[in-house]
Amino acid sequence: MRRVAGGGAGVAGTFASVSMMFSSSVPSPAPRGAFRRGAVSAPGGSPDGAPGGAVPGPRTAPAAAPRVPAPRGRRAVSALALSALLVPPVVAGGTAYAADGGGEKQPKDPAPPAVMSRVGGERLGVPGVQVQLKDGAPKVPRGISARSWIVSDAESGEVLAAKNPHWQLPPASTLKMLFADTVLPKFPKGEKYTVKPADLEGMGAGSSLVGIKENLTYTVHDLWLGVFLRSGNDAVHTLSAMNGGTEATVAEMRQRAKDLNAVDTHVVTPDGYDAPGQVSSAYDLSLFARAGLQNADFREYCATATAQFPGDKGKGGKRETFGIQNTNRLLTGAPGLQPYPGIAGVKNGYTTHAGNTLTAVAQHGARKLLVTLMNPSKEEPNESYKETAALFDWGFEAAGKVEPVGRLVGPRSEEGDASAAGHHGAAGDDGKSGKGQDPSALEATDSSGGAWTAVGVAGGALVVVGAVALVVRRRRPLPEAVRREARRRR
C-alpha cells in the first residue's frame, strides 16, 4: 500500500488577544527550476490530512523514486529488536499495526483496547466517551467519528472530555511536534546548512516534500518552515542530519517523550512516516503540543499560514523563491471551510495507515483549549477539521460547566514518573466505565453557534501569529502587554 502525504504529511489564525490577518490564497507557483514533482493525492482528496478539495499539495516523491530505497534489512531488523527493548508495550487488545506494505488497510472500525494507560486520570483509560457535565452544560456533539480524541485546557491541563485518549495509534505527521520539541532549540534560526545527497536518503515512498535540493544552502528558519507548513520529510531528514543523523534523532525523541511522561509513544521515524511499532496517542500528542508551545519559535512556525521558500539559483546565481502554504485547513481555510476563529496551530497529518490526525490550539477570550483527534471514520471532505471545530465549539461553551475527567500531566522534572502509582489525575475517579456520565451528554447538539468568521487576506507574505506566551505546564497570567493589546482590539 502506498502511503500518502508524508509520514505523515502532515495547525493563523491567532489567539484572540493577538489578532492578525493572513492569506488564505493559493501560493504563487514554483519558479523555473523549483521542485516540481506532483503531489500524491489521498483517495478522494488531496494530501496531508486534507481529503477533498484542491490545496497546493506538498511536493511528493514518487513511489518509485530512486532516492527512496526500501529499508535495509539489517537496519530494519535492528530497529525492531531495539523497539522490543525500549518501547512500552502496545496495550493488549488494541489493533496490531504491522508494516504498511501488505496492500491491505486496517479494519475500518476496530474496538479500542479494554485496558489502556491511566496516566492523567483513571477515566482516561476507560474505553468510550468520558465527560462529567454540570447543570446547564452543553452536550458533547454527536457525530464525532474519530477513534480517539481529547479536549483539554491548554493552561491548566484539565481534560474537559475525551474518548479513548490513550489508544495507541499511528500518529502520522503530528509526530513532527515531538521532533520539533526535541530538535528546534538546538540550532539558531539564522544558521546555514548545505544539504548533502546522503541527507535526503531513506525517506519513505510517497513522502511529502517541501522541495529541498541537494548541494544548496538553507537557513534553519527555512527548514522549519518546510517542516511545519509543508510537513516536508526532506526538511525533517535535513535537520536530523544536522542533529547527528536519523538514528540519533529518533533516540533523542524517545527520551524526550519519556521526559514528558508520554508513555503511549514509541518513535521509529523522526517524520511520522508509518513504520512497524510506531505509535502515539491523542493524550501524548497533546503533551507534545503543550511542551512545544512554550517555545516562541515553535509558536511562530506552527501558526504561519504562508511563506516564500528558497528554490534553485537563477541567472546570476540569485536564488529564486516559491510560495508555500500551511496544510492545516483550520488555519488557512479551504472551499467550504473557514479558518477557525482564534486558531493558533499546531500540526496535522495523514497517511493511508494512520488516517487523519490533528492537534490544534485556539483561544477565545482568556480561555485556551487544545483538541487532538485521531482517525475519523467518516470519509467526508475536511472531516477531521470539521470534527475538531465541533469539539472546540463544545469546549469553549462547556468551559466551567464540566468537572474535569483527568488532566494533562507535567514532565518528569516536575512530577516524576506519572505512570507510577499515585500519579493519576482527577480525584475521586474510580475508572468504572460511565461513572458520572450522563447518557444524554451524547445526544445531538448544534455545536456551531454561528462561531465561524471570515479572516482577512494580507497577500502572500509570511504571516507570524501566536507570539503569545502560551502557558502549558502551570497556569500563569499572560503578559500585561498582551492584555493591553487584547483590550485595544476589542
Side-chain angles (χ1 to χ4, degrees):
M1 178 184 299
R2 182 179 62 187
R3 300 179 191 82
V4 180
V11 268
T14 169
F15 289 119
S17 56
V18 188
S19 298
M20 296 187 68
M21 318 245 313
F22 60 83
S23 171
S24 59
S25 61
V26 176
S28 59
R32 182 177 209 136
F35 194 86
R36 291 181 179 274
R37 289 176 185 169
V40 177
S41 294
S46 57
D48 202 0
V55 163
R59 317 301 191 197
T60 59
R67 305 204 66 81
V68 187
R72 296 174 183 172
R74 181 177 300 175
R75 183 176 298 175
V77 171
S78 298
L80 288 173
L82 185 61
S83 69
L85 295 175
L86 298 180
V87 65
V90 176
V91 176
T95 303
Y97 287 96
D100 190 19
E104 294 182 2
K105 286 187 177 182
Q106 297 298 324
K108 186 175 179 62
D109 293 309
V115 178
M116 293 177 280
S117 168
R118 259 59 173 177
V119 168
E122 293 294 330
R123 289 182 63 172
L124 300 185
V126 177
V129 174
Q130 302 298 317
V131 65
Q132 183 79 36
L133 302 179
K134 297 179 181 178
D135 291 343
K139 300 167 185 176
V140 175
R142 268 194 182 277
I144 305 298
S145 68
R147 293 179 184 177
S148 173
W149 54 263
I150 184 171
V151 182
S152 58
D153 187 294
E155 288 191 320
S156 70
E158 292 180 345
V159 176
L160 280 61
K163 176 184 177 182
N164 308 323
H166 281 294
W167 191 350
Q168 292 173 299
L169 297 166
S173 272
T174 45
L175 193 65
K176 287 183 171 77
M177 293 187 296
L178 176 61
F179 171 75
D181 186 52
T182 304
V183 178
L184 192 152
K186 292 189 171 189
F187 303 102
K189 297 168 69 172
E191 182 173 338
K192 296 181 179 180
Y193 180 78
T194 301
V195 179
K196 304 175 184 65
D199 298 341
L200 301 179
E201 293 179 353
M203 291 183 293
S207 283
S208 58
L209 308 175
V210 67
I212 290 173
K213 298 296 189 72
E214 58 191 45
N215 302 319
L216 292 182
T217 299
Y218 299 83
T219 65
V220 167
H221 180 73
D222 294 331
L223 295 173
W224 283 115
L225 288 173
V227 170
F228 277 95
L229 272 68
R230 302 312 302 155
S231 205
N233 289 2
D234 49 354
V236 170
H237 279 252
T238 301
L239 286 162
S240 295
M242 295 177 64
N243 192 49
T246 298
E247 292 183 5
T249 300
V250 166
E252 290 183 16
M253 290 171 66
R254 290 178 179 177
Q255 183 59 51
R256 181 59 176 159
K258 181 178 180 181
D259 293 342
L260 293 174
N261 276 312
V263 301
D264 300 324
T265 298
H266 179 56
V267 181
V268 180
T269 66
D271 48 26
Y273 191 88
D274 291 332
Q278 180 152 276
V279 290
S280 190
S281 67
Y283 185 92
D284 283 7
L285 294 173
S286 296
L287 295 183
F288 302 152
R290 293 182 81 216
L293 287 164
Q294 288 197 349
N295 184 302
D297 289 337
F298 185 107
R299 294 194 299 272
E300 171 191 333
Y301 295 128
C302 79
T304 297
T306 64
Q308 290 293 310
F309 195 81
D312 281 343
K313 291 182 179 179
K315 294 180 179 180
K318 183 178 179 181
R319 293 284 292 273
E320 298 181 353
T321 63
F322 57 93
I324 59 174
Q325 178 172 303
N326 202 307
T327 56
N328 173 22
R329 294 183 174 188
L330 282 187
L331 194 152
T332 61
L337 182 71
Q338 294 286 349
Y340 190 79
I343 193 72
V346 292
K347 192 71 188 76
N348 62 315
Y350 175 79
T351 67
T352 53
H353 189 56
N356 289 290
T357 59
L358 175 63
T359 297
V361 63
Q363 178 172 349
H364 287 180
R367 181 77 62 177
K368 307 179 193 74
L369 296 182
L370 272 170
V371 173
T372 296
L373 177 145
M374 301 183 78
N375 203 338
S377 62
K378 288 183 181 178
E379 297 181 359
E380 299 291 334
N382 301 315
E383 184 61 27
S384 62
Y385 302 106
K386 293 175 182 177
E387 294 189 12
T388 298
L391 290 171
F392 267 131
D393 288 342
W394 175 84
F396 284 117
E397 186 180 356
K401 302 175 184 178
V402 296
E403 293 289 345
V405 294
R407 66 186 179 93
L408 300 178
V409 297
R412 288 193 174 200
S413 61
E414 295 180 4
E415 299 195 22
D417 183 359
S419 63
H423 284 76
H424 301 306
D429 291 338
D430 64 1
K432 295 180 181 179
S433 179
K435 176 178 171 60
Q437 179 174 317
D438 181 358
S440 67
L442 306 183
E443 293 178 3
T445 181
D446 178 7
S447 61
S448 63
W452 295 110
T453 61
V455 178
V457 174
L462 169 69
V463 178
V464 175
V465 298
V468 177
L470 182 70
V471 180
V472 297
R473 291 178 187 157
R474 294 285 186 266
R475 183 178 292 279
R476 306 184 187 101
L478 288 172
E480 179 57 30
V482 175
R483 294 184 178 278
R484 287 197 299 269
E485 178 70 8
R487 289 194 292 268
R488 186 183 72 80
R489 290 179 178 275
R490 289 194 186 110

